[in-house]
Amino acid sequence: MRTGSRASRHPLGGVTWQAPELEVSTARRLIAFLEDRRVLYAPDSWEVPAHCVQSVLEIRHFLTAELGKLDGKSELSASLRAMRAACRKFLDRVGSRDGRDVARYANHHDSWASWTFYSALGEMRGTFGVHLARIAAQFRLDIEDQLASILPAKDEEDSD
């Protein structure tokens, strides 16, 4: 058995691969961290745009720190990079470097800023949902209901 990885015997023979412990612990930390990030799942009416921008900056910082600990060629690394890119895209779309341009006017629901902010937020949530679903499936991890609300809908054929 390789150091740093988990393997188990398959009941029908052979060895089944399981992810390295580092990746498992990173995936657990990631999900626990994101479960407390309302920017990813709270109803739009609850959002304070400036707080959302700050939270996205914190998420991006967290993802960067976690990426530094992983093998850059892993599937988990690829998902973390995609989520970090979604954070950058959100921040680029909401305005200036710190996001204040759009965030200042995003609560005026009849303004261009509102459309820009909430469409960027929805796109980021969608990207996170796809990658969180992959991570949860790969590492067999549960996600709290609030964060799980951004996961893609399950195909009805899969539920049979």
Side-chain angles (χ1 to χ4, degrees), residues 39 45 50 60 97-98 100 102 119-120 125-126 138 147:
V39 67
S45 60
R60 190 180 71 180
R97 268 195 309 167
D98 61 6
R100 289 187 196 149
V102 171
S119 68
R125 286 175 173 180
Q138 180 181 2
L147 183 59

Side-chain angles (χ1 to χ4, degrees), residues 122-150:
E123 184 178 343
M124 185 185 73
R125 286 175 173 180
T127 299
F128 270 71
V130 166
H131 288 282
L132 284 170
R134 285 181 184 167
I135 292 166
Q138 180 181 2
F139 297 102
R140 296 184 177 151
L141 299 173
D142 292 329
I143 298 177
E144 288 181 359
D145 289 345
Q146 289 177 311
L147 183 59
S149 70
I150 68 168

Side-chain angles (χ1 to χ4, degrees), residues 103-120:
R104 183 178 309 147
Y105 301 105
N107 280 336
H108 298 105
H109 294 289
D110 58 346
S111 76
W112 64 271
S114 175
W115 285 93
T116 300
F117 181 83
Y118 291 109
S119 68

Side-chain angles (χ1 to χ4, degrees), residues 6 17 19 22-32 34 62-63 66-67 70 74-84 127-143 147 151-152:
R6 298 181 306 161
W17 178 87
L22 176 62
E23 288 191 12
V24 173
S25 61
T26 298
R28 283 188 182 124
R29 271 193 313 276
L30 172 70
I31 289 172
L34 295 179
F62 177 86
L63 293 169
E66 293 298 322
L67 274 165
L70 296 172
S74 72
E75 287 183 43
L76 180 59
S77 290
S79 285
L80 269 60
R81 280 192 304 278
M83 289 187 283
R84 186 175 63 172
T127 299
F128 270 71
V130 166
H131 288 282
L132 284 170
R134 285 181 184 167
I135 292 166
Q138 180 181 2
F139 297 102
R140 296 184 177 151
L141 299 173
D142 292 329
I143 298 177
L147 183 59
L151 301 180

Side-chain angles (χ1 to χ4, degrees), residues 41-103:
Y41 55 79
D44 294 345
S45 60
W46 294 4
E47 298 299 348
V48 176
H51 295 172
C52 291
V53 169
Q54 183 58 42
S55 187
V56 171
L57 288 167
E58 291 170 11
I59 292 169
R60 190 180 71 180
H61 176 77
F62 177 86
L63 293 169
T64 298
E66 293 298 322
L67 274 165
K69 301 172 189 173
L70 296 172
D71 174 4
K73 296 178 183 176
S74 72
E75 287 183 43
L76 180 59
S77 290
S79 285
L80 269 60
R81 280 192 304 278
M83 289 187 283
R84 186 175 63 172
C87 289
R88 277 194 311 268
K89 185 173 182 179
F90 169 82
L91 294 167
D92 288 346
R93 286 187 61 200
V94 299
S96 65
R97 268 195 309 167
D98 61 6
R100 289 187 196 149
D101 292 345
V102 171

